[in-house]
């Protein structure tokens, strides 16, 4: 299978790196695994958890501003689906600043716009535009403070 960019994937969307394609195996929990005939469910689950931890680490490394739970989950989703560069690469249409720069500077409205519009090849894959809209709505969700009377 391949992702929207045409990169070969295995498991639950793990995009194979150039090195993994060259070697013919991926590392899962420190063990080399031949992916040529697919992965077992246990291997796919382990690889997903490993990739998810990498996405969480990317957010921790690149975002210094406190986030709501929803904002954190959206940024981890971006890092999981696009890789860490989804946070750090210049975003189209906003003066070429990265999503992490906008967030760290507190420019949440602009970050929300980037999430909504910077969705990749939405002409070929309309679901990407839907995902971008969903991310933007979740990211912009400001929890209401409860008041007691």
């Amino acid at each position: 299978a391949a992702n929207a960019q045409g990169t070969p994937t295995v498991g639950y969307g793990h995009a194979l790196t150039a090195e993994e394609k060259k070697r013919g195996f991926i590392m899962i929990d420190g063990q080399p695994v031949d992916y040529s005939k697919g992965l077992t469910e246990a291997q796919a689950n382990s690889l997903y958890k490993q990739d998810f931890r990498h996405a969480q680490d990317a957010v921790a490394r690149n975002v210094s501003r406190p986030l709501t739970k929803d904002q954190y989950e959206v940024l981890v989703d971006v890092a999981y689906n696009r890789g860490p560069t989804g946070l750090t690469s210049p975003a189209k249409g906003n003066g070429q600043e990265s999503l992490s720069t906008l967030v760290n500077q507190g420019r949440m409205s602009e970050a929300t716009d980037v999430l909504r519009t910077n969705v990749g090849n939405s002409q070929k894959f309309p679901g990407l535009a839907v995902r971008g809209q969903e991310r933007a709505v979740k990211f912009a969700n400001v929890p209401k403070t409860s008041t007691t009377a």
Side-chain angles (χ1 to χ4, degrees), residues 1 4 16 22 29 32 34 42 44-45 50-52 57 74 88 90 101 103 107 124 133 135 141-143 147:
L16 293 171
K22 180 180 172 186
D29 296 328
D34 178 356
N45 286 332
Q50 180 176 292
D51 287 347
F52 192 79
D57 291 345
V74 166
T88 59
T101 296
V103 171
R107 296 161 56 191
K124 186 174 180 183
Q133 182 63 29
R135 283 178 177 156
N141 181 30
V142 178
T147 58

Side-chain angles (χ1 to χ4, degrees), residues 62-64 75 86-89 97-105:
N62 294 293
V63 178
S64 58
L75 295 178
L87 299 173
T88 59
S89 292
E97 292 175 289
S98 70
L99 184 56
S100 60
T101 296
L102 295 172
V103 171
N104 287 333
Q105 292 177 355

Side-chain angles (χ1 to χ4, degrees), residues 67-74 138:
L67 301 168
T68 67
K69 179 179 181 290
D70 285 344
Q71 290 168 335
Y72 175 77
E73 289 175 356
V74 166
K138 185 173 181 177

Side-chain angles (χ1 to χ4, degrees), residues 49 51-61 72 76 79-80:
K49 289 175 187 173
D51 287 347
F52 192 79
R53 283 190 303 271
H54 290 300
Q56 290 173 313
D57 291 345
V59 173
R61 272 192 321 274
Y72 175 77
V76 169
Y80 176 81

